[in-house]
Amino acid sequence: MSVIITDEGFGPEHWEHGFFTLDELPANHPPALAVDLPSDVAVEYLPQLLSNVDLVRIDFPSFADGRGFTLARRLRDLGFVGRLRARGHVISDQYAMARRSGFDEVEIDDDLAARQSEGEWKARANWQDNNYQSRLRG
C-alpha cells in the first residue's frame, strides 16, 4: 500500500487506471493515461508527454537523488499541465522542494508514512511562504 500526500495531508490513492512505462504507452489515448518515469529518463522523451498524458509519476530511488525535481521542473517549463507525482524515497523535508519543482503530490510507502507522521508533512504544506528568497526579502 501507499500513501498520497498533498498540502491537505495524507490520503488514499485515487488513481484507478494504472500506469504505463514509456515503452508501453498506447498509440491511442485511453480515457485516462498515466506514465511512470525513471529518474534517469532522457529529456528528449518529455515533450511527448505534454498532450496525451494525464498523470506523470516520477521515481525517486533515493532521497539523495534530486533528478526527479529537475524532471518535474522541466515538464512544467515545457507546458505540462497534468498531475505530477513524486514516488519513492521522498522525505518530509523535501516536500517544499517537490511542490516548488511542480509536483502536485507525493506517494510514499506505509513504512515511511509510519516513520514520518502526517504532521511532519503538513508542517511543510505552507511551502510558498517558507523559502530562502522570501526570508531574505523580509
Side-chain angles (χ1 to χ4, degrees), residues 58-77:
I58 299 174
D59 188 47
F60 281 76
S62 161
F63 74 89
D65 186 343
R67 294 177 292 178
F69 297 122
T70 303
L71 286 173
R73 182 77 265 145
R74 182 79 174 129
L75 277 168
R76 292 296 189 205
D77 288 345

Side-chain angles (χ1 to χ4, degrees), residues 61-135:
S62 161
F63 74 89
D65 186 343
R67 294 177 292 178
F69 297 122
T70 303
L71 286 173
R73 182 77 265 145
R74 182 79 174 129
L75 277 168
R76 292 296 189 205
D77 288 345
L78 288 169
F80 182 71
V81 295
R83 283 170 55 192
L84 270 179
R85 179 187 293 179
R87 177 187 69 167
H89 297 282
V90 179
I91 59 176
S92 61
D93 288 343
Q94 295 171 314
Y95 185 68
M97 174 60 87
R99 294 290 284 131
R100 280 198 281 291
S101 299
F103 285 105
D104 299 299
E105 55 200 35
V106 174
E107 177 183 342
I108 59 172
D109 64 29
D110 290 334
D111 291 337
L112 182 56
R115 290 192 311 272
Q116 295 189 332
S117 70
E118 181 175 15
E120 289 181 49
W121 291 87
K122 286 178 81 170
R124 288 146 179 97
N126 59 349
W127 56 273
Q128 294 169 319
D129 298 329
N130 292 320
N131 68 57
Y132 180 72
Q133 291 178 353
S134 336
R135 288 193 305 265

